[in-house]
Amino acid sequence: MSAVTPDLPALAQSIKDWGRELGFAHVGIAGVALGEHEQHLERWLAAGYHGEMEYMGAHGSKRSHPDELVPGTLRVVSLRMDYLPGDTQMAQRLAQPEKAYVSRYALGRDYHKLIRKRVQHLAERIQQAIGPFGFRAFVDSAPVLEKAIAQEAGLGWIGKNTLLLNRKAGSYFFLAELFVDLPLPVDPAQASEHCGRCQACLDICPTGAFVGPYVLDARRCISYLTIELKSAIPVELRPLIGNRVFGCDDCQIVCPWNRFARPTGESDFTPRHNLDNADLAHLFLWDEPTFLSNTEGSPLRRAGYERWLRNLAVGLGNAPSTIPVIEALKARQDHPSEMVREHVQWALARHEGGEANGVE
Ligand code: B12
Ligand code: SF4
Ligand code: SF4
């Protein structure tokens, strides 16, 4: 707690103003009690829906108790930053099976460092105003129930697609938090939800990953399969993945609230290397040094080269049987990775057997 006793309501307002100056679209303040979300998390873990993401269950009750993760925490400042870089023709790319679809959050610079730095700046501004106080900044990677906190802070509601939605901004944004030991006034939690009778996200999911509204079996989600899963992609799911090679946006594209999504003001999220309009075959021919240099500071690095090729091989297996597609696959038939070779074999077999999309 700070040495000076600050005017807490005025400080809360300043934190919101500074947050907006630092590029956040919305800032709210929550307490540390996350209520029923803890049980939802426990049930989800007990069902095994987290698959290989062992980190999701690895921190005991800290994930649902911010004050156990960082003792002394009294409030959590929740922040969101839009990431959609203008019109990237999502539906058009998904309808072009020879193109690679990279999910729209991953086209530009990795958000983790960028956002954590901004949250850190926010903490420094608070410190300038009130003197030393206890804080920790988080974005995505820590054991924090970010969407539950955001809902508590009034930033939106958790929709049936399990993402945080906002009536004025849809869902194409990142979440981040500043844990503080200051007893700031809290914002009203978002009490209403606005999905109503809609269930477009549940119906559109290409792999049928939703067990029901608000419950996702991550093991079937394309985002998990292409980014988190380290081993081979289950054969029965490969044809359903289409041309999605890194993440998936379908349950957001279809969401009516995303008509209100706003383009990001961050130039760092602008697509790099034509990733919003690249051919699968072209990306598959990047060698490892090219992959490493083209993905420097990008979220794509998380997959690593081997999994990148694995994902592209699946996309190519689902692409039309054209000469560039077949040639690209053949060029990687002898790749040193057993996993890559197996996915390439699968893809070539689809073309030989005439099972792939739009065989000529
Ligand atoms: C693990 C994880 C994943 C996993 C699992 C997703 C998931 N739904 O849990 C995978 C790899 C599949 C994934 C995918 C994506 N992710 Co992700 N992911 C996370 C992470 C690290 C943890 C999420 C979590 O806590 N899951 C635990 C389960 C239990 O939570 P849940 O499914 O959301 O369930 C909640 C509610 O639905 C509700 N609930 C559960 N069951 C029930 C039952 C009933 C009856 C009711 C009423 C409610 C209810 O309570 C639960 C707890 O709050 C967060 C970052 C973080 N630290 O929070 C990012 C995060 C959620 N991901 C994010 C993004 C952007 C994505 C993708 C869009 C990326 C992409 N384009 O490919 C996809 C979207 C897929 C989807 N529909 O969720 C953003 C979401 C921003 C937003 N607007 O909400 C986050 C917040 C990262 C960030 N800092 O910005 N992700
Ligand atoms: S991201 Fe794609 S695969 Fe995952 S739940 Fe949403 S629509 Fe389904
Ligand atoms: S698509 Fe419909 S049901 Fe799904 S999150 Fe959006 S509004 Fe809710």
Side-chain angles (χ1 to χ4, degrees), residues 157 159-161 165 194-195 198-202 251 254-257:
W157 77 98
K160 291 180 190 172
N161 65 4
L165 304 182
H194 302 275
C195 285
C198 176
Q199 55 160 36
C201 51
L202 310 183
C251 56
V254 78
C255 180
W257 292 106

Side-chain angles (χ1 to χ4, degrees), residues 170-325:
S171 62
Y172 294 114
F173 48 77
F174 299 119
L175 293 174
E177 302 74 33
L178 182 67
F179 284 30
V180 299
D181 66 352
L182 305 167
L184 295 163
V186 296
D187 288 301
Q190 167 104 21
S192 52
E193 68 100 35
H194 302 275
C195 285
R197 286 210 295 261
C198 176
Q199 55 160 36
C201 51
L202 310 183
D203 296 339
I204 199 83
C205 177
T207 49
F210 293 104
V211 180
Y214 315 105
V215 185
L216 177 68
D217 182 349
R219 295 169 301 180
R220 293 187 71 88
C221 175
I222 295 169
S223 190
Y224 170 85
L225 296 168
T226 55
I227 305 173
E228 300 290 331
L229 182 70
K230 295 189 175 63
S231 47
I233 296 178
V235 175
E236 69 280 11
L237 297 178
R238 293 181 196 174
L240 310 178
I241 291 176
N243 60 349
R244 299 164 191 81
V245 297
F246 191 90
C248 169
D249 293 323
D250 288 40
C251 56
Q252 299 191 85
I253 296 171
V254 78
C255 180
W257 292 106
N258 273 324
R259 286 200 295 264
F260 304 106
R262 302 196 191 146
T264 180
E266 298 297 328
S267 53
D268 272 345
F269 296 148
T270 309
R272 296 174 168 184
H273 306 291
N274 200 30
L275 281 170
D276 56 335
N277 190 19
D279 285 339
L280 289 160
H282 173 76
L283 297 179
F284 200 56
L285 294 175
W286 282 1
D287 59 13
E288 191 161 11
T290 309
F291 172 82
L292 291 175
S293 91
N294 287 353
T295 59
E296 177 126 38
S298 140
L300 299 179
R301 265 289 173 97
R302 186 171 169 83
Y305 186 56
E306 191 186 8
R307 286 190 265 160
W308 172 244
L309 291 181
R310 172 198 69 182
N311 298 346
L312 285 161
V314 171
L316 286 163
N318 294 328
S321 302
T322 61
I323 291 169
V325 164

